[in-house]
Amino acid sequence: MDKVTFTAQPRDKSVKAKILRKKNLIPAEYYGHGVENMSLQLDYQSFRKLYKKAGNNTVIDLEVEGKGMKNVLIHNVDTHTVSDLYTHVEFINVRMDEEVTTTIPVRLEGTAPAVKDMGGTLIQNLDGIDVTCLPKDLVHEIVIDVSSLVDFNSSITVADLKIPKGITVTNEPDASVAYVTPPREEEVAPVDAAVVDVAAVEVPGEKKEGEEDGEAKSE
């Protein structure tokens, strides 16, 4: 099991969230079944590094100053619609003897022969797989070798994944994870081979040779 440690401070609720953010702090909440909810504040840069490493599926030893150590998962992270900066975080309490349901990211590695030798495009259908397991069995990611994608008929499904012991996948076994599509053929507009005799086309209102004032000359 991957596990990391992080320190948070209790939040003074009299201080508005926008004031915390100006001080490079993130307002946060800790909650869960059978525990007392706590309002926290997190150092922005420290949390940014934590989230990059742990994501939403790594158990964190959350040390709250004056409140002891908590086993948690990052349950939700809100971001600003324009700046994309973190604005609020939710930690959910984890009991090590109870199963959790989460999503483990899927990362592709290696080179697919259908891409290298046949000019295809690698398509990843699933960015993560849904799982149920005890917290101790969680892993940070599932790595998939795409070297088995030798042609455009090959694919990798959920059933092909090597899942660590103790983890139950809830996706359908035949769900596609990755495959390679053939190169797109350039569409060429068909050329009309018919040749039009422009001189033979009669234009309404145009006088024909040998006509005057709309009447044909008499011989």
Side-chain angles (χ1 to χ4, degrees):
M1 173 187 64
D2 298 324
K3 202 171 185 180
V4 295
T5 301
F6 186 72
T7 302
Q9 295 78 38
R11 176 188 169 190
D12 181 354
K13 293 297 288 289
S14 66
V15 180
K16 293 183 178 181
K18 64 180 180 180
I19 300 300
L20 290 179
R21 296 184 186 113
K22 287 181 179 179
K23 296 180 178 180
N24 288 322
L25 297 172
I26 310 172
E29 294 293 328
Y30 161 81
Y31 58 86
H33 178 68
V35 299
E36 181 181 356
N37 290 15
M38 287 190 294
S39 294
L40 309 171
Q41 61 186 40
L42 320 173
D43 176 74
Y44 189 94
Q45 292 302 328
S46 297
F47 177 77
R48 183 184 62 81
K49 294 176 182 178
L50 169 76
Y51 194 41
K52 182 178 181 180
K53 180 178 181 180
N56 295 88
N57 58 291
T58 301
V59 177
I60 299 166
D61 282 334
L62 179 65
E63 183 178 2
V64 181
E65 293 182 358
K67 301 290 184 178
M69 194 78 73
K70 317 292 181 183
N71 291 316
V72 302
L73 290 173
I74 298 174
H75 183 63
N76 186 62
V77 178
D78 293 333
T79 57
H80 191 278
T81 54
V82 177
S83 66
D84 210 31
L85 294 174
Y86 303 137
T87 58
H88 190 267
V89 177
E90 296 177 12
F91 295 106
I92 188 169
N93 183 67
V94 172
R95 288 190 53 171
M96 301 305 289
D97 59 346
E98 291 183 356
E99 288 188 331
V100 296
T101 298
T102 187
T103 299
I104 299 178
V106 169
R107 178 169 61 86
L108 306 182
E109 72 172 11
T111 302
V115 173
K116 180 180 179 182
D117 302 328
M118 304 171 70
T121 300
L122 179 63
I123 303 297
Q124 182 171 352
N125 266 352
L126 288 181
D127 294 325
I129 56 171
D130 301 324
V131 303
T132 299
C133 64
L134 290 173
K136 69 179 182 64
D137 295 321
L138 278 173
V139 293
H140 185 59
E141 63 183 7
I142 300 293
V143 180
I144 302 173
D145 182 3
V146 298
S147 61
S148 63
L149 300 175
V150 297
D151 53 39
F152 304 134
N153 295 316
S154 304
S155 67
I156 298 172
T157 66
V158 169
D160 298 322
L161 305 183
K162 296 180 179 179
I163 305 300
K165 184 178 179 180
I167 296 177
T168 299
V169 178
T170 57
N171 298 85
E172 292 296 327
D174 60 351
S176 174
V177 178
Y179 63 96
V180 177
T181 60
R184 185 176 179 179
E185 296 182 2
E186 295 184 2
E187 296 182 0
V188 180
V191 178
D192 189 353
V195 178
V196 179
D197 185 353
V198 178
V201 176
E202 182 176 345
V203 179
E206 183 180 4
K207 294 180 181 180
K208 294 182 180 180
E209 185 178 355
E211 290 184 346
E212 289 184 359
D213 299 325
E215 295 181 358
K217 287 185 178 181
S218 57
E219 295 180 357

